[in-house]
Every structure is written in structure tokens, then in C-alpha cells.
Amino acid sequence: MPDQKNNYDTRERILDVAERLFMENGYEGTSMRVVTSAAEVNLAAVNYHFGSKEALLCAVFRRRLGWLNGERLRALDVLEEQAGETSPKPSQILEAFFGTLLRMGEDQSLGGMTFLRLLGRTLTEPAGFIRTFFASEYAEVIARYKQALFRALPDVPKAEIVWRLHFMLGAMSYAIAGTDVLQVVTGCELGDLAGESSDVDADDDSALARRLSQRLMPFLLGGLRAPLSLTTPSLTASPASASDGDLQPEI
Amino acid sequence: MPDQKNNYDTRERILDVAERLFMENGYEGTSMRVVTSAAEVNLAAVNYHFGSKEALLCAVFRRRLGWLNGERLRALDVLEEQAGETSPKPSQILEAFFGTLLRMGEDQSLGGMTFLRLLGRTLTEPAGFIRTFFASEYAEVIARYKQALFRALPDVPKAEIVWRLHFMLGAMSYAIAGTDVLQVVTGCELGDLAGESSDVDADDDSALARRLSQRLMPFLLGGLRAPLSLTTPSLTASPASASDGDLQPEI
DNA sequence: CTAACATTAAAACGAACGTTTGAACGATAA
DNA sequence: TTATCGTTCAAACGTTCGTTTTAATGTTAG
């Protein structure tokens, strides 16, 4: 059995390199030989310290998700204590959940954008063991935030809230994972999207994370606040959709 | 050179099986031996008919994306002709872009939910040749729709529109790809989310696509319509975010 | 019939994969 | 010093990968 001595150096170097390479090439697309040679350790080091390639991926995530979801729970505790008998506002709940994650992207010691991108990409990875792992890692924090949103929006059907939580998670994950995938689709460079932002250096991950957060949070709030569709939106092409009348001209 | 005779049977069987297996196990996670044996064709058939595994994936997508993006361009043509000198409404533009895709999920002969899920997952796949392929396949339709939204929302900064288009693409892709990934995260079964919908059989892909569309379109519209954040949203945890005042109580 | 051709079939190719082995190394403690 | 134990190392394990090869199979046209 390992887990005792001065293996910290090798272990952490493997985790850092694996985090980056899994992000760049995917799990199946990253071989142990590439990981170990990039980390400048022996090929057998991963199996010695982690047991297997699957366990390595889980270790990469556990290192970050432990902190993240702990922080999320703590933030929600603070909000609910501040609110007393009442409930925190939906915007505060979203800020606690998504803002905590986006702030990780600004902190290099927490993995920075590398980890955020890896997380976004891995959530769609079909491998079974990954889904099982995420399900257990996320179970508590999702349950807590779902309940908080139910309380904060008592007049909205719970099913609708879950759907929109689902959509918000998707928008965030893609916004992060797709900074170089969908940017190709949208045909824009990062610099073109800076707008009137104060940070101008587009290569800085931290600045990117700040700009992303600045744009994403209003979008998520807008989606969460969208009026309920009481009728089925037109599936035939001809008439305009149901909630058309209240389209605000400013956006 | 191939491409002449009665290979339709083998070719199509390979495409159908590959579409499903790539969706279930990912590109790197699906071997040619599994594809060919599931399609009940010889191992060499893929290389004979398509040339390589990469070319097979591209062929799977070309078969669907050709129709999809053609339909999208046609729908936008109709809208702009109807609008005459004015511009189509943003909600109509979104309906043309996203509704066309979601309607594919209801039609088994167009790939149904299988193709939609594959598309959502592959957009985050890091392999270089896939990104190049998507960039060329999507270039025209994205450019047209971006221009249409610019015209429809002349007072909104173009950078903001591109960001929100990006977010909407993400929300949609995840909503589709994650029906069994993020459903685990949200801890809910599909049946629990049916709500007051008219279709009750949760196993029917077509019904799932309709329900998804019903929920997703209002969310996307709400996100697109969200007020611009003029100030940076609070990155410190303490005060509530900027656009808090106009949070509508009903959602 | 037979020559030409597109397709299928079985078998093998070399390369790369994740993992395991057993010896060597280096620090610590009796 | 010697024994112990965590760690590193080079080498090899057996398997699976995508692709290629060569021969057999039909089907079509002269």
C-alpha cells in the first residue's frame, strides 16, 4: 500500500499534467505514456500512485471538486443564515453556485481555466465510470441548491425549476469548455468579444474568466426569470411563438 | 475509387450503427470492430467505403448537417422575405435556428434524438479534425444568423449578441446531450420532469424532443432578453448582484 | 462465355494501449 | 552496518487498435 511518504512531488506533478492533457485531448485521447513523459516521471508511476488511469481521472477531479462543492455549500449556508426566516433571492443563489465556480477560473492555484474547461468537457463524456463518479460528487450540493431554489420560487412548478437548472448548467459548461470550440463556430476571436471591458489582454486566463462571469450571470438570470410557456410554442413554422408580445426591444 | 454501385445497403447500415455507437461511447471509445460487427459487415468495409475512421465520423455528420443547415438557411430566407424592409423578431430567428434542430429530434428518419445527442457531445470533443470539420460546416449558417440578430437588435452591442448566441448554443447542446448525464446530476428522472405535458410516455424520443423544445425555447428567449450588465457583477460574495432589483417574483 | 469491375471476405500488419513485473535506489531506524 | 520500506526504473506483458493486403465473390456488359 502506498500513501505515506514524500511522494507529494511526483503525485502533484502527475495531477497537474493530467489535468491539462485530459482537457486538451480528452480522456480516451490521452495515453499514460504521454502523461508520464510530460510529467517527467516513470511510466509505472501513475499505476503505483493512483492504481489505474480511471482512478487518475477521478483523483484529478476530486482534488478540485472537493474544494468547489465545499465552498458552494458554505456559501449557501451563509446566504440562508443572512436571510433568516425568509429565503435568499434567486440571484443570490445563482451567484453562490455559478460565481463560486467561475471564481476558480481566476485562481491558478485552484486549477484556473484549465480545470474549468476539463470539467465542462468531461460532463458530456459518455464513459460510465465518469458519470457514476460525478453523480456521487455532485449529489449533495445539487440537492441543497435545488431545495433552495424551490423555496425561493414557491410559485414556480418544481419541474420547471429543475429544467432551468439543467439549462443553466449547460450554458455555463459550454461557455467554458467551448472557448475554443464554439468560438470557431461563432467565427470570433476572444479579443473581438472583449467589448468595453477593463481588461484588455486576451491571453490572460484570469481576465477571460472575469469577462465570462460578467456576461454569463445576466444571461443565466434572464433564462431563469423567463416567463413560463403555458402553451406549446409553435412547432409549425408559420405563426410567431407564444411569448412574443413581451419581447423587450432593448434586447 | 468506390462510389458507384449498390453499396447503399452497407454504407447506410454502417452510418446508422456508427451514429448510435459514437453517441453512446464517443469517438475514441468506439472501435471499428464494434461498429462493423454491430452493422454485420466486414471489418474492412468502413475503410473501403469511407476511407478511414475519421472520414466515417465526418460522413455521419455530413448526412445530417447538410439537411439541417440547409433547412435553417431556408427558414431564415422565409422570415426575411416576410419581414420585407423590417427585420424578423429575435424570437422568430431563435425559433428558426433552434426549432429546426429540435424538430430533427422528433423525426426518426432524420436521426432523431440519437443524432441530436451525438451532435451535442461531439461539439466538446477536443480532436482537431472534428473542430475543423464543424467550422466549415457551420460557417455559413452561423454568419447568416449572426447578421440577422445584429439587424434585429441594433441597439445591443454586437459582442454581447455573440456571447449570448454562444450561451444559447451551450444551453441547447447540454440540454440534449445531457439527458442522461446531467439528469444524474439533477437527480431526477425524465418522468419527473414531464409536468403538465400532454405526452406521458417518457420512453418516446419524439415526445422527449417536444417537451425539451417546449421548455428550452422560453429559457433561451429569456436569456437573450436579459438586461445588459453595465457594471461588473459582484465578484465578492457580500452584496447582491447588480441586476437584482428587477427580478420578477413570478420566476 | 468471359473479361471487367465493384464489393465482400479472411487474415495479417505494425503500432500503441494500460498494466505488471522484478530489480535497483535511497532514505530511515535499530 | 544492516534491515526495512516507500519509491523509481527499465523492460516486458498480453490485448486491442486502425489499417492494409490478397483472394474470393458476385454482377454487369460485350
Side-chain angles (χ1 to χ4, degrees):
Chain A
M1 316 312 183
D3 295 5
Q4 244 118 344
K5 275 281 192 58
N6 67 331
N7 41 4
Y8 300 113
D9 212 37
T10 300
R11 274 185 62 101
E12 294 256 323
R13 235 188 10 262
I14 291 175
L15 287 175
D16 287 339
V17 166
E19 185 170 68
R20 180 174 55 82
L21 291 178
F22 283 151
M23 181 272 284
E24 290 173 353
N25 310 316
Y27 173 71
E28 313 254 24
T30 304
S31 71
M32 316 237 66
R33 284 168 177 82
V34 173
V35 170
T36 51
S37 72
E40 293 177 302
V41 300
N42 189 267
L43 172 59
V46 168
N47 288 281
Y48 174 77
H49 284 285
F50 300 97
S52 69
K53 190 187 178 184
E54 293 193 1
L56 170 61
L57 183 69
C58 291
V60 166
F61 276 109
R62 220 184 310 272
R63 179 170 67 149
R64 309 291 186 195
L65 289 181
W67 182 90
L68 169 65
N69 286 334
E71 201 69 13
R72 278 168 163 169
L73 292 174
R74 201 192 57 77
L76 189 55
D77 287 338
V78 170
L79 282 182
E80 290 181 336
E81 199 202 4
Q82 285 177 353
E85 283 298 304
T86 73
S87 165
K89 297 190 214 175
S91 64
Q92 292 176 305
I93 297 172
L94 292 196
E95 163 65 26
F97 188 86
F98 294 100
T100 304
L101 175 69
L102 290 166
R103 243 165 281 129
M104 283 185 83
E106 305 173 25
D107 192 332
Q108 210 60 37
S109 73
L110 297 175
M113 287 300 287
T114 300
F115 172 70
L116 260 59
R117 275 192 261 254
L118 173 64
L119 180 62
R121 286 191 174 152
T122 311
L123 279 176
T124 46
E125 201 104 11
F129 81 97
I130 300 181
R131 295 199 227 168
T132 310
F133 174 76
F134 276 119
S136 73
E137 284 285 323
Y138 269 98
E140 186 185 0
V141 73
I142 289 283
R144 281 283 313 275
Y145 272 82
K146 230 165 52 175
Q147 282 304 319
L149 283 175
F150 289 165
R151 272 197 67 200
L153 301 165
D155 299 328
V156 180
K158 292 185 178 180
E160 191 70 35
I161 293 177
V162 174
W163 272 102
R164 299 203 173 180
L165 182 59
H166 191 175
F167 296 150
M168 288 189 289
L169 285 167
M172 182 205 61
S173 297
Y174 249 72
I176 292 164
T179 37
D180 45 22
V181 179
L182 286 185
Q183 222 88 56
V184 166
V185 167
T186 56
C188 281
E189 289 306 313
L190 297 174
D192 301 348
L193 300 177
E196 67 292 312
S197 169
S198 51
D199 341 82
V200 281
D201 47 325
D203 296 319
D204 184 1
D205 266 3
S206 170
L208 172 61
R210 267 194 299 279
R211 245 176 295 140
L212 182 60
S213 171
Q214 201 176 111
R215 308 285 187 168
L216 181 58
M217 293 299 299
F219 177 88
L220 296 179
L221 263 172
L224 181 63
R225 291 164 47 207
L228 295 169
S229 113
L230 299 176
T231 73
T232 304
S234 64
L235 292 180
T236 63
S238 30
S241 93
S243 58
D244 230 20
D246 54 348
L247 233 195
Q248 298 169 3
E250 65 269 27
I251 181 90
Chain B
M1 317 303 184
D3 293 4
Q4 244 118 345
K5 275 280 193 63
N6 67 331
N7 41 4
Y8 301 112
D9 212 37
T10 300
R11 275 185 60 103
E12 294 256 322
R13 242 198 350 272
I14 291 175
L15 287 174
D16 288 339
V17 166
E19 185 171 67
R20 180 175 56 82
L21 291 177
F22 283 150
M23 181 272 284
E24 290 172 356
N25 310 317
Y27 174 72
E28 312 255 23
T30 304
S31 71
M32 316 235 66
R33 283 168 177 83
V34 174
V35 170
T36 51
S37 73
E40 294 178 301
V41 300
N42 189 267
L43 171 59
V46 169
N47 287 282
Y48 175 77
H49 284 284
F50 301 96
S52 69
K53 190 186 178 186
E54 293 193 0
L56 171 61
L57 183 69
C58 291
V60 166
F61 275 108
R62 219 185 309 270
R63 180 171 67 149
R64 308 292 187 196
L65 290 182
W67 182 90
L68 170 64
N69 286 334
E71 203 68 13
R72 279 169 163 168
L73 291 175
R74 200 192 56 80
L76 189 53
D77 286 338
V78 170
L79 281 183
E80 291 182 335
E81 198 202 5
Q82 285 177 352
E85 283 298 304
T86 73
S87 166
K89 296 189 212 176
S91 64
Q92 293 177 304
I93 297 172
L94 292 196
E95 163 64 25
F97 188 87
F98 294 101
T100 303
L101 175 70
L102 289 166
R103 243 165 280 130
M104 283 186 82
E106 305 174 25
D107 192 333
Q108 210 59 37
S109 72
L110 297 176
M113 286 301 286
T114 300
F115 172 70
L116 259 60
R117 276 192 261 255
L118 173 64
L119 180 61
R121 285 191 175 151
T122 310
L123 278 177
T124 46
E125 201 105 11
F129 80 97
I130 301 180
R131 295 199 228 169
T132 310
F133 174 76
F134 276 119
S136 72
E137 284 284 323
Y138 269 98
E140 185 186 1
V141 73
I142 289 284
R144 281 283 312 273
Y145 273 82
K146 231 167 49 178
Q147 282 304 321
L149 283 175
F150 289 167
R151 271 196 68 198
L153 301 165
D155 299 329
V156 180
K158 293 185 178 183
E160 191 70 33
I161 293 178
V162 174
W163 273 102
R164 298 202 174 180
L165 181 59
H166 191 175
F167 296 152
M168 289 188 288
L169 285 167
M172 182 206 61
S173 297
Y174 248 72
I176 293 165
T179 38
D180 46 22
V181 179
L182 287 185
Q183 222 87 56
V184 165
V185 166
T186 57
C188 281
E189 288 306 313
L190 296 175
D192 302 348
L193 300 179
E196 67 291 310
S197 168
S198 51
D199 343 80
V200 280
D201 48 325
D203 296 318
D204 184 1
D205 265 3
S206 169
L208 172 60
R210 268 194 299 277
R211 246 178 294 139
L212 182 60
S213 171
Q214 202 175 111
R215 308 287 187 169
L216 180 58
M217 293 299 299
F219 177 87
L220 296 181
L221 262 172
L224 180 63
R225 291 164 46 206
L228 295 169
S229 113
L230 299 177
T231 73
T232 304
S234 64
L235 292 179
T236 64
S238 30
S241 92
S243 58
D244 230 20
D246 54 347
L247 233 195
Q248 297 169 5
E250 65 269 27
I251 180 86

